[in-house]
Amino acid sequence: QVQLVESGGGSVPAGGSLRLSCKASGLARSPNVMGWFRQSPGKEREGVGSMVLRSGNVYYNNAVKGRFTISQDKYNNTIWLEMNSLKPEDSGMYYCGADDGEGTDIAYWGQGTQVTVSS
């Protein structure tokens, strides 16, 4: 059974920080790409950032560039999203996704972790 389990969400004031984790298990192949996405009510899900696992190359939504950092812990099959200088517009459900190791389209999703940033 494939599982992507996120943790680390919470409620913080504007300017605060949170660190999210996504631990993967049960995948037959290592993903090529894993990423973080977010969605708030009334908005479409958007990409926050992604990492090409083999190279460690990372790509960020311009809205979070310079404030968020994605990192990888290969030993623990975990990726992290360090979020700093949080803004109210960063609020939403944050989801981790992974491809199936064959392509780069998201095939597996975590159930999400809530991030709320107050003004």
Side-chain angles (χ1 to χ4, degrees):
Q1 181 176 323
V2 174
Q3 285 190 292
L4 295 167
V5 180
E6 304 102 331
S7 63
S11 181
V12 295
S17 299
L18 286 170
R19 192 184 190 197
L20 310 183
S21 67
C22 172
K23 184 174 177 61
S25 62
L27 286 84
R29 290 182 168 88
S30 297
N32 295 307
V33 174
M34 295 182 69
W36 288 96
F37 303 78
R38 66 187 182 188
Q39 186 171 209
S40 58
K43 295 179 62 179
E44 294 185 9
R45 186 173 297 187
E46 66 176 355
V48 175
S50 61
M51 172 178 281
V52 181
L53 300 185
R54 182 180 178 90
S55 65
N57 290 347
V58 294
Y59 305 89
Y60 298 101
N61 184 324
N62 284 337
V64 308
K65 192 176 297 182
R67 299 187 296 118
F68 292 12
T69 302
I70 296 172
S71 58
Q72 176 185 199
D73 183 346
K74 292 183 178 180
Y75 185 81
N76 290 296
N77 301 119
T78 300
I79 62 166
W80 303 85
L81 180 66
E82 179 76 29
M83 303 185 293
N84 302 120
S85 302
L86 282 162
K87 305 174 181 179
E89 54 262 43
D90 294 319
S91 298
M93 285 291 294
Y94 281 68
Y95 299 90
C96 176
D99 64 41
D100 60 4
E102 297 293 336
T104 57
D105 294 332
I106 300 301
Y108 306 106
W109 294 93
Q111 295 193 53
T113 186
Q114 180 70 42
V115 171
T116 302
V117 184
S118 59
S119 59

